[in-house]
Amino acid sequence: MNDTPERRTAKRFKPPPWERARIEELQRVRQEAREETEITETPVSTPERVMSPEDPRIAAMIMQLSVEEPAPSKVLWKVGALSAVLLASIGVMLVVWGVIATARTASAGIAGVTGGAILIGFGTAFVGSAGWIIIRSLKQRGVRSRG
């Protein structure tokens, strides 16, 4: 008694008689396309053209893109900076509370340390969000970063 199943060889697909003409036509078209691509796929060397910013077409595209850019609002960057300062102060406050909570409840076990760590994590996220908002606001104003 052999427990391994016997493998059968896969039978080749034979189309039904009513589809045979279509499949033969498809194979003929594919063969013609292969022969055509073999003929047309000869390497053609074309000189590469380097585009420069002085090219009138490039200058026109840049002008069109500059027209499509939104104009920076004079007040909007101030709102962004103010909200970033507010978020940063809340974040620093949460980090301080987290450190104090961790120090006071360290002897209480894992619950105290976990609560303090959560406060520190949220405070760090607030400070990070404030940094991102201030950078985006200053970029909108036109201040460039050094990097």
Side-chain angles (χ1 to χ4, degrees):
M1 295 246 158
N2 193 359
D3 290 337
T4 59
E6 294 181 23
R7 293 189 170 238
R8 294 186 287 166
T9 58
K11 294 181 181 178
R12 182 162 165 78
F13 173 73
K14 291 183 181 179
W18 59 89
E19 293 286 330
R20 191 166 292 142
R22 285 186 186 169
I23 291 178
E24 289 173 357
E25 177 69 20
L26 179 64
Q27 289 175 346
R28 186 183 60 77
V29 169
R30 284 184 182 170
Q31 184 63 29
E32 288 175 1
R34 282 190 198 125
E35 292 171 0
E36 184 176 311
T37 56
E38 288 174 2
I39 293 171
T40 59
E41 287 183 357
T42 57
V44 178
S45 81
T46 57
E48 291 187 25
R49 185 168 175 229
V50 178
M51 303 293 273
S52 68
E54 290 81 24
D55 188 7
R57 293 181 294 169
I58 299 296
M61 286 191 300
I62 291 174
M63 288 296 294
Q64 184 180 2
L65 286 173
S66 67
V67 169
E68 292 177 4
E69 287 183 3
S73 174
K74 302 289 184 197
V75 178
L76 195 57
W77 79 269
K78 292 178 185 177
V79 172
L82 182 64
S83 64
V85 168
L86 180 66
L87 271 178
S89 62
I90 292 172
V92 168
M93 183 178 57
L94 285 174
V95 168
V96 169
W97 281 352
V99 169
I100 291 171
T102 303
R104 287 187 180 174
T105 59
S107 62
I110 192 73
V113 175
T114 303
I118 289 172
L119 282 173
I120 292 171
F122 272 97
T124 306
F126 271 64
V127 171
S129 299
W132 182 77
I133 289 173
I134 194 72
I135 289 171
R136 297 293 295 174
S137 297
L138 291 176
K139 276 188 178 180
Q140 184 178 9
R141 183 178 176 215
V143 177
R144 302 275 182 195
S145 63
R146 286 182 241 177

